[in-house]
Amino acid sequence: MPSKNVVIIGAGVAGLTTELLLSERSGYRIIVAAKHMPGDYDIEYASPWAGANYMPVSVSGTQAAEWDKKTWARLLDLALNRPEAGIHIQGASFLVQILLYHGCLLIIRKECEIYSRSQDKGSATADWFSELLAPNPWFKEIIPNFRSIPKDKLSPGVDAGTGFTSVCINTALYLPWLVSECLKNGFRFTRADFKHVLDARSVGDQLGDSIDLIVNCTGLMASRLGGVEDKSVVPVRGQIVVVRNDAGEMVGISGTDDGGDEVCYVMTRAAGGGTVLGGSYQKGNWDSQVDPSLAVRIMKRAVELCPSLTGGKGIGHLDIIRHGVGLRPIREGGTRVEKERIGNTWVVHNYGAGGAGYQSSFGCAQDAVDLVKEALHTTAKL
Ligand code: FAD
């Protein structure tokens, strides 16, 4: 059967993971066309701003939980076997087991911990984190070393806490690694800024043939792309500070005393990627500019939650690499992984992952790839 020509719009984690999984199947010639590519930092491009870690917020029994479940196995495999992808394991006891197994020396990082305060109940951030904060979340079955933290080990003001092994992704390494894997498999990349989703058919020229199917991985901009214009996708603004200090641990908490749309988390990226201090969860806010007073609050909260960052000293001892703002592409009803016939062209959508684009990436991409196959099979019969 002749190869099918597929264009993927978008080079964020959704587009690149979909491309990676398509590249593992034969029968496709693929080109990724995107306004922004790895290496760019822009308010319309969420992926570089993410921490990014694996802390599932999906609710038990949902499609989103299935996507997260499938993704864990792939991320863990990359962390263990592909160090060049820029993912490390956050969890000492799990690493000790691996160390003993491989008989080699790795850097040991503490388990990931998440804390809960009763006073945050009902806030936007505590609602967002409700499964993550639960004493018996669905993911305890798949993540190593899940445990409740004894009350006497919790800081004052914290009512409950759990710990588990996780991973942290250095997005500055991981996104280019995904590109490299796809280049190695013979796929192409081009810059483009489409007004309408069907304009993507124009890149068929670069493959010397017409396009059989379009995959739409435009994230937040799916809200503005002609032919899609999905108004249920909205930004949730996340402001961060990236520092050189290494916390040695990955921590988060259900809320802050500074308002329901501010959050506090600390995660150190793999391979010298710095430590990301977050943050905010400001729904409907498109502002790309750093708010300096929010930046100070983020740093104060981070050193309080995680004194090891500065050896118990104040924010003056944080060594800042950069401040940043990214917009999580959140969609009412969850990520859209669907196929749709637009005009006489099949479009497979994979957008709207909100604050979970990395931790659900392989699950969503796998379903998108299945839909590509299904749609092209249908076309063959038309
Ligand atoms: P994007 O990365 O935004 O990519 C969209 C792509 O589409 C870009 O290449 C863009 O140029 C292209 N595009 C858009 N419109 C057009 C057009 N018209 N023509 C051509 N190209 C177009 N997730 C986690 O799993 N774990 C975390 O710890 C985490 N932390 C986060 C922290 C912050 C501060 C933020 C902002 C996000 C965080 N996320 C996290 C969420 C994650 O970053 C997103 O879910 C994910 O990056 C979305 O990826 P995407 O590929 O769908 O969209």
Side-chain angles (χ1 to χ4, degrees), residues 86-108:
I87 303 178
H88 67 194
I89 292 170
Q90 196 76 46
S93 45
F94 183 67
L95 268 185
V96 168
Q97 292 162 27
I98 300 292
L99 270 171
L100 292 174
Y101 181 75
H102 287 285
C104 59
L105 184 69
L106 295 171
I107 296 163
I108 295 196

Side-chain angles (χ1 to χ4, degrees), residues 10-14 35-36 46-47 50-53 192 194 217 221 326 354-359:
V13 68
K35 186 173 174 189
H36 303 98
S47 294
N53 66 13
F194 303 117
C217 300
M221 301 319 285
Y358 285 85
Q359 60 200 21

Side-chain angles (χ1 to χ4, degrees), residues 186-204:
F187 294 164
R188 297 200 196 175
F189 289 81
T190 189
R191 292 270 181 176
D193 182 5
F194 303 117
K195 296 266 172 298
H196 192 282
V197 65
L198 295 185
D199 295 347
R201 290 181 301 195
S202 63
V203 301

Side-chain angles (χ1 to χ4, degrees), residues 206-259:
Q206 297 185 41
L207 294 176
D209 210 341
S210 58
I211 292 294
D212 296 298
L213 184 141
I214 296 166
V215 184
N216 169 29
C217 300
T218 50
L220 180 59
M221 301 319 285
S223 60
R224 294 185 179 168
L225 180 66
V228 181
E229 287 173 282
D230 185 342
K231 297 302 174 206
S232 63
V233 188
V234 294
V236 174
R237 183 177 181 277
Q239 183 167 320
I240 55 165
V241 185
V242 187
V243 297
R244 292 187 179 82
N245 310 58
D246 185 347
E249 56 189 327
M250 184 155 84
V251 287
I253 190 160
S254 56
T256 75
D257 294 333
D258 298 319

Side-chain angles (χ1 to χ4, degrees), residues 10-17 19 32-42 45-49 170-183 189-191 358:
V13 68
L16 296 175
T17 314
E19 191 192 18
V32 173
K35 186 173 174 189
H36 303 98
M37 293 279 181
D40 299 346
Y41 284 89
D42 193 276
Y45 188 28
S47 294
W49 301 109
N170 180 346
T171 61
L173 293 181
Y174 184 60
L175 295 170
W177 177 80
L178 287 170
V179 173
S180 296
E181 287 296 292
C182 296
L183 287 172
F189 289 81
T190 189
R191 292 270 181 176
Y358 285 85

